[in-house]
Amino acid sequence: MSRETKVVLIGGSAGSIPVLLQVLPDIRSDLHFSIIIILHRKSYPKSSLNQLFESITTLNVLEVEDKTELVNGTIYLVPADYHLLFEDDKSIALDASEKINYSRPSIDVTFESAARIFNSNVVALLLSGGSQDGVEGLKNIIQHGGKVFIQDPNTAEVDYMPKQALEQIPEVEQLAPEQMSHFINNLK
Amino acid sequence: MELDIIRDEEMDLLLEDVSSIYGYDFSQYSKASLKRRLNRICLVDKFASFAELRYRVISDKNYLQRFVEEITVNVTEMFRDPLFYKKLRNDILPKLGTYPFIRIWVAGCSTGEEAYSIAILLQEINLYHKALIYATDINPTVIEKASKGIFPLSVMKQYSENYIHADGQKDFSSYYTSMYDVVKFQEDLNSRILFSTHNLVSDTSFNEFQLILCRNVLIYFDKDLQNKVFNLFDNSLQTLGYLALGDKETIRFSSLEKRYKQSKGHKIYQKMT
Ligand SMILES: C[S@@+](CC[C@H](N)C(=O)[O-])C[C@H]1O[C@@H](n2cnc3c(N)ncnc32)[C@H](O)[C@@H]1O
């Protein structure tokens, strides 16, 4: 199986939006993969996070809907109150089942599904947050041969989530926010 | 918690069994979601292998109900997506109020929260007396729960917040009586709701409606099955009636698209011809 990146998954909770606002403007629009952002957020009031992201990047930003198909060079935002899964044909399925780790969307759910479908072609990045969510998913991605990274806990507004990851996956690589866009732009 | 003991071929085999023995056809459901549910059921009901689960499903008729309950997702809320209910309250339902009689179908109603929410709206705008709500689901267990109108007390805070965001003016707790850790909704609220089982995959149209709600059900169906169900709804909807879908669902890929007009900013579609 080729090592070429097909999807980049970015999971975050408290304190992760400022990081994305810093990183997204410098992302190239001719990427050969899609970026999927899974953030913990409130379902009400309806947020306009996708408009906010749209205003700072040249890439297309879409809030995922039922049966959305992945297009390279596009940023997909998982909607509040749904989990995002991947089908065998690599299309997207939304799922409104139980919260996992008190969260819907749950970062673990998408990470684990991506690991199963995209195997070694996944790159995942876990940002700032005060939750456990995401760590199991990172382990899963490693098991399937994908690559995982965390935000350097020293740079995280809320370091619990990346620290949990570091504790359970000591070899995980760390990125400071200012390194992230360069890193993403240069993925093979 | 994620365990992964089910392979695609095995899943297909089991679904074939369930279809041929019991007549429930899940073959056009989202595989990604089904697989999660099947893994979950193995975990919760402590099946050590997929073969064990399959044996139980095939051999124990009484287990089937539990199986259906676990592999379909029943998560629901009252006034979920408050802005949707606000739109119903302030625009759609008053328009339907001009009919002598209002028939509403809540398809995939789960434990009934959606149907009770609509009943509350209708009551508050003085239309309930001339309305009838048909609330249906594939799963007999949730239908039984729904018809009792008893819900956990612990979720009332959330429901009450949703209700307020949906322009609710009353004290939400006036709609129910608390009994320890559950609440029972007022009897008159379900006086005009008919709960029954109905399978969107295999059952046919049973009436003509002015409003059909089918929210967060179609996300579990593949495109072909969605189209089939859209045609069922089309056949069950009066001209100028409304079809309401979940926040992330759309008729965009279906043959209905050209004949239905979308309410701006909402997943509410009006049948034009
Ligand atoms: C996630 S719930 C949605 C509940 C509610 N409509 C809401 O939006 O909150 C999905 C429901 O669809 C039902 N369902 C699944 N397949 C069905 C079918 N073939 N026919 C009827 N109902 C079905 C499930 O049993 C479940 O109760």
Side-chain angles (χ1 to χ4, degrees):
Chain A
M1 193 166 282
S2 85
R3 298 277 312 174
E4 192 178 285
T5 306
K6 295 269 170 55
V7 283
V8 170
L9 310 172
I10 304 177
S13 192
S16 61
I17 292 180
V19 179
L20 289 165
L21 293 180
Q22 179 181 348
V23 173
L24 295 182
D26 297 325
I27 304 276
R28 279 172 20 198
S29 58
D30 59 345
L31 300 173
H32 62 278
F33 48 80
S34 333
I35 297 179
I36 293 162
I37 300 179
I38 312 117
L39 293 180
H40 293 162
R41 50 193 180 127
K42 283 223 161 68
S43 57
Y44 189 91
K46 258 190 195 161
S47 79
S48 43
L49 211 50
N50 52 329
Q51 274 128 308
L52 179 63
F53 288 159
E54 223 161 50
S55 68
I56 58 156
T57 164
T58 52
L59 281 75
N60 264 330
V61 181
L62 290 178
E63 190 166 77
V64 171
E65 293 218 331
D66 179 39
K67 311 282 183 281
T68 296
E69 284 180 30
L70 291 179
V71 174
N72 291 343
T74 301
I75 297 174
Y76 297 90
L77 191 61
V78 182
D81 237 5
Y82 294 85
H83 296 304
L84 182 145
L85 304 170
F86 297 96
E87 298 285 0
D88 291 346
D89 67 0
K90 306 192 169 41
S91 67
I92 286 174
L94 292 176
D95 177 310
S97 58
E98 299 79 4
K99 293 184 178 177
I100 301 286
N101 305 321
Y102 310 100
S103 314
R104 189 174 53 227
S106 146
I107 302 169
D108 274 342
V109 168
T110 300
F111 279 10
E112 281 161 5
S113 178
R116 201 175 296 154
I117 300 295
F118 292 98
N119 295 297
S120 60
N121 308 114
V122 182
V123 173
L125 172 61
L126 193 64
L127 303 178
S128 164
S131 152
Q132 269 283 357
D133 196 23
V135 179
E136 278 306 310
L138 289 180
K139 291 192 216 162
N140 229 267
I141 290 173
I142 296 174
Q143 276 166 19
H144 283 81
K147 284 181 284 203
V148 304
F149 301 82
I150 59 170
Q151 178 177 358
D152 176 350
N154 295 316
T155 67
E157 206 176 301
V158 184
D159 63 10
Y160 183 81
M161 204 152 87
K163 266 193 171 156
Q164 281 295 311
L166 189 58
E167 217 164 84
Q168 299 185 38
I169 316 168
E171 72 276 17
V172 70
E173 285 184 56
Q174 305 173 39
L175 294 170
E178 56 272 19
Q179 300 172 296
M180 290 176 185
S181 57
H182 179 78
F183 165 76
I184 292 173
N185 285 336
N186 289 291
L187 281 169
K188 288 269 168 351
Chain B
M1 96 130 222
E2 203 69 7
L3 114 161
D4 195 7
I5 62 173
I6 291 170
R7 283 175 296 132
D8 285 352
E9 314 83 70
E10 297 178 322
M11 180 161 78
D12 292 343
L13 225 59
L14 178 64
L15 297 185
E16 265 171 43
D17 292 336
V18 172
S19 171
S20 62
I21 304 175
Y22 301 107
Y24 284 110
D25 182 2
F26 295 110
S27 62
Q28 288 183 285
Y29 279 49
S30 150
K31 293 280 184 291
S33 177
L34 270 184
K35 215 180 214 178
R36 267 191 86 224
R37 305 309 293 177
L38 288 172
N39 275 316
R40 193 183 123 95
I41 200 172
C42 287
L43 202 73
V44 176
D45 288 355
K46 304 198 169 57
F47 293 110
S49 68
F50 180 76
E52 259 182 50
L53 167 68
R54 185 172 173 216
Y55 178 76
R56 181 74 183 272
V57 171
I58 296 176
S59 59
D60 183 353
K61 205 172 86 208
N62 297 321
Y63 187 72
L64 182 80
Q65 196 155 326
R66 158 133 189 97
F67 179 80
V68 171
E69 187 182 342
E70 277 301 310
I71 68 164
T72 54
V73 171
N74 305 317
V75 175
T76 183
E77 265 174 40
M78 285 183 83
F79 297 99
R80 180 182 194 168
D81 303 329
L83 296 181
F84 166 73
Y85 283 95
K86 197 166 155 174
K87 177 79 177 169
L88 287 187
R89 178 200 292 275
N90 297 327
D91 183 15
I92 308 292
L93 294 176
K95 276 181 187 147
L96 298 183
T98 57
Y99 291 98
F101 195 73
I102 311 169
R103 270 189 305 272
I104 299 174
W105 180 13
V106 183
C109 67
S110 189
T111 38
E113 282 82 341
E114 219 173 11
Y116 284 91
S117 307
I118 305 268
I120 287 174
L121 291 184
L122 287 166
Q123 230 180 35
E124 292 188 0
I125 58 175
N126 294 321
L127 291 175
Y128 197 36
H129 61 279
K130 61 169 179 173
L132 202 52
I133 302 172
Y134 293 74
T136 64
D137 200 281
I138 187 177
N139 176 358
T141 314
V142 290
I143 287 297
E144 200 186 311
K145 277 194 195 147
S147 60
K148 293 206 173 104
I150 296 176
F151 301 106
L153 178 63
S154 56
V155 294
M156 285 307 130
K157 186 167 167 284
Q158 177 68 48
Y159 291 3
S160 153
E161 279 170 21
N162 290 353
Y163 166 78
I164 292 165
H165 293 313
D167 266 5
Q169 307 291 332
K170 292 203 181 173
D171 178 357
F172 189 63
S173 63
S174 67
Y175 284 109
Y176 59 77
T177 324
S178 308
M179 304 180 296
Y180 304 104
D181 53 352
V182 297
V183 307
K184 176 153 177 43
F185 273 76
Q186 284 165 17
E187 293 285 347
D188 60 332
L189 266 185
N190 67 11
S191 62
R192 306 189 67 79
I193 310 180
L194 292 173
F195 290 103
S196 77
T197 55
H198 178 280
N199 186 345
L200 291 167
V201 178
S202 50
D203 292 334
T204 51
S205 173
F206 57 94
N207 213 326
E208 217 181 40
F209 300 93
Q210 285 106 10
L211 170 63
I212 298 176
L213 292 94
C214 185
R215 311 186 70 228
N216 299 304
V217 181
L218 298 173
I219 44 171
Y220 301 103
F221 296 0
D222 71 17
K223 275 189 190 164
D224 289 340
L225 183 55
Q226 285 186 353
N227 264 317
K228 190 177 146 184
V229 175
F230 281 137
N231 287 327
L232 169 66
F233 291 152
D234 191 35
N235 291 329
S236 313
L237 207 53
Q238 272 185 11
T239 304
L240 300 183
Y242 297 90
L243 173 63
L245 304 179
D247 213 26
K248 299 297 158 204
E249 294 161 334
T250 172
I251 63 166
R252 202 166 68 229
F253 311 113
S254 83
S255 59
L256 272 57
E257 187 187 9
K258 286 178 285 307
R259 292 181 294 109
Y260 281 66
K261 200 177 112 218
Q262 182 173 7
S263 299
K264 202 166 171 285
H266 293 274
K267 295 300 168 62
I268 303 176
Y269 303 88
Q270 186 173 29
K271 178 174 174 174
M272 303 313 290
T273 55

